Amino acid sequence: MKKAKNPTRNSKENPSKSNTRKKTDSVKTPKPSFEYRLESDIVRFWSEQNVYLNKENTSDELTCVIREMPTPVSTFSFDTLKGKIYQDTYLKYELMQGNSVKYTPLWETFPFNIETIVIRENKTTANMSNFRKQCRQVFSQHLKSQQEKFINLGIFADWTAAEKSLDTRYEAKIFSHFDRLREYSFLRDELRLSDWCPNCILPLESGKTVNTVSTSELFTYVKFPLNIGFEDFGKNVYFTIQVIQNQLWEVAGTIALGITNDVTYWLTHYQDDYLIFAEPHLKKFVGRSTKPKDCPTPVAKIDVEKLKECSLTHPLYSLNEVPIVSIPEGMIPKIAEYDNRRELESGIIPINPSHHTLSYYILKSLDEFQETELNRFVHSTSTAPVFDENGRFTEDADTLCGLYLPQVTPFITDEFDAKGLLIKTRKQKAKQHQCQICEGSSVSRPYRHWVFSFLGSEIKDEVTNSTEYWQHYDENLRNLIYAEIINVDELPVSSERQWGIPLPILRCDNCNELLSDKKILRSVRSSIRRGAEQWFRLSVEEILPAETVCESCNFREFRKESTYIQSNFANLLQALDASDYKNTAHESVGSIAFVPETKFIKWVGQLSILSAALQQSRPTKDSQPYKNLHLIPLSGVSSDSEIQESFIEKYPADVVRIVSISGDLQNTTSDEEDSELLESHIKKYNRKYIQLKKVLTNTIDVCMKVDDSQNTKRRRRKSFNPNTFKIGELNETDLLAISKVNNTISSIDIAYKTKEFHTIFNLLSDLCLKELDQYIQLSQKTLTKKNFQSLQSSITAILKVVIQRLAPIAPFLAEDLNTAVFTSSKSIFEEKWVELPQTNWNDDMVKEWKTLISKKL
């Protein structure tokens, strides 16, 4: 199901008033003999009664814990709603059985979109302290708004405990987990090429704060003088590479030029020089409007082997030699990550692994090939970045040293123009990476990335080969989780961002080695135990114990590494803190999850490996994150489509709940079909809900009129007590009605037990709109003083069991009806379910019921 358009976009309702009004029905119903309450009043009643957390209503012993994946704070998808309503239906059902179920919502931690929202509003991150403060405020606002939506839909949870799990003490636990994983050698860091914004002076996260855009850019050709090769043609022989003008600074980091065997190379004559082109570059030089006299004239094709014998002089650093090296055959097709196919097939690739994305991927792939000329060259050459984390060029950049990145391109352009080493051609379309913050072009620079890796560890084998580990899962779940654990590779730990939990990493300012002494790291954690902000507020000297020295070089000065924990990894650690991974199977109660199966199994696979890694001092067989797990895959179509707020505002909360678990929605091929399908289902269930409400309201009114007919004072019915209910005193019609209702109620009870919640509303509505409605009409026609008591007992019993079965899926209507009929100050969820006396609904009774209805109505 794709993202649905707003099916109620023409509604002029004020969203701010959605929780303080009574949502109107599209069908007029007779005025009942009692007043329905506002949804907000019922929510307040549940809160004041402390219905969910009131232990007086349930057993002292916890029977189950509801598990889930992290709930987004900024998006409200159909899958999220469906999962929440399934969970809540189960929780309310168990409450009404007298069982104790624990549900503490698991919120996502430090989502990236919060950072993006703040950045878009401010267009700067200059004051990092204020920036992080704003991010926390926006996160808190979004969380509270999301929580309010769930509460207004009648969802029960320990909301206070959920919020506490996000306080600063949680951040201190993250620090501890990180150090423990590092101590057990499950974490490693490596340099990876990342996007970096020269305007914001910030690293950027791929796919989050970086966009790929197509822009019109001026293309140039840089001439590399030959110092060996083609001497027969004189001194003015150059190897040319195509470079976009605003990327000319990359030439400063180029250490070699790569060529491929499957491209043709040409020696050409252009003006007074001889230029060597790769054929794709030569074709780009010659545009449709280029005059023949302005084009390079081909002289001869060049053998690739002859090119390999040549060497070049760097156009910026005249004392530096630039070799021509061969890219191994078969490498280019392997680089699936790179999105610019034209550059891949251009035939000339600048080897600049610290700043040029394609050459970085090539070097990453070298290990898959046997020893090559390129391997030997790269391993013997420095590949350090030419500018630092502030965008300032280093000493390795020779004449560029001290300049900042925005200053370098104009400097190089002037330098190359003066030396005659630059040919400017024309503007062409090019893909560029763009910073979402300032919308300026981003560049590439290596940054340290931390990953969770168990390569070289036996932890995966220990988990998969342990019979005891798997004995608490059923066979299907065991096979699914087993397969996912086998597939788990590495998990990213760090992220290029500006908000979240910083990783407590300190490096020597002299040799760049990590500070890894256990006692010192323990002291660091103690210094920042009050949360992440302490890491930023305290200086390195305040964090470290006095006289701390580097174990490698005895240097005494250290620096903090600007690395933040990746959101998904933080979510995994948060989930582990609330899981069973520290308990044995005998110490744990059962867990249940109502989730999209594929996503959840992947999540549990990652949790399982991570929990085993953190439990090195305890047996692996006891490290399952969720003991005795029972998985209930969500029925119907899985959809990440965001639900429009007007959908929730316009329709009763009960209808939203019913539609979300109906299982009727199907995949569509367009947004328009999606919108129409969703709206038709909403309207269909709203009509059935109104009809059901009308029948039950009418039933209560009849109950009240029975009292009137006997000149008794109107009053609420007493609570139905199955122990005092005498089925033998009912007349034949009422006994048939009780038997008929009991037959359907048995099917509903089975659906609750088997957790087929999507079938329950239809069973209830069919029962009420047909059998109950027929029985009430019949009762009104046949009421006498003789059958008064039987009718009153029968209707009261039926109302009790029907309203109770309705409560978990339509709690607002059920709560109102229960208050209208029965004398109790308690919520319906504080009472245990009652059952009607068992009757034998057989074929003879079916015929008798049909005959009775056909004659009397």
Side-chain angles (χ1 to χ4, degrees), residues 530-546:
R530 293 182 180 176
E533 284 305 308
Q534 294 294 106
W535 175 260
F536 298 105
R537 289 174 187 155
L538 299 177
S539 66
V540 173
E541 291 75 21
E542 291 173 304
I543 290 174
L544 288 175

Side-chain angles (χ1 to χ4, degrees), residues 452-455 460 484-491 609:
F452 169 79
S453 174
F454 37 84
L455 298 177
K460 183 183 280 191
E484 190 58 45
I485 290 177
I486 291 295
N487 291 330
V488 173
D489 192 6
E490 295 180 341
L491 297 175
I609 284 293

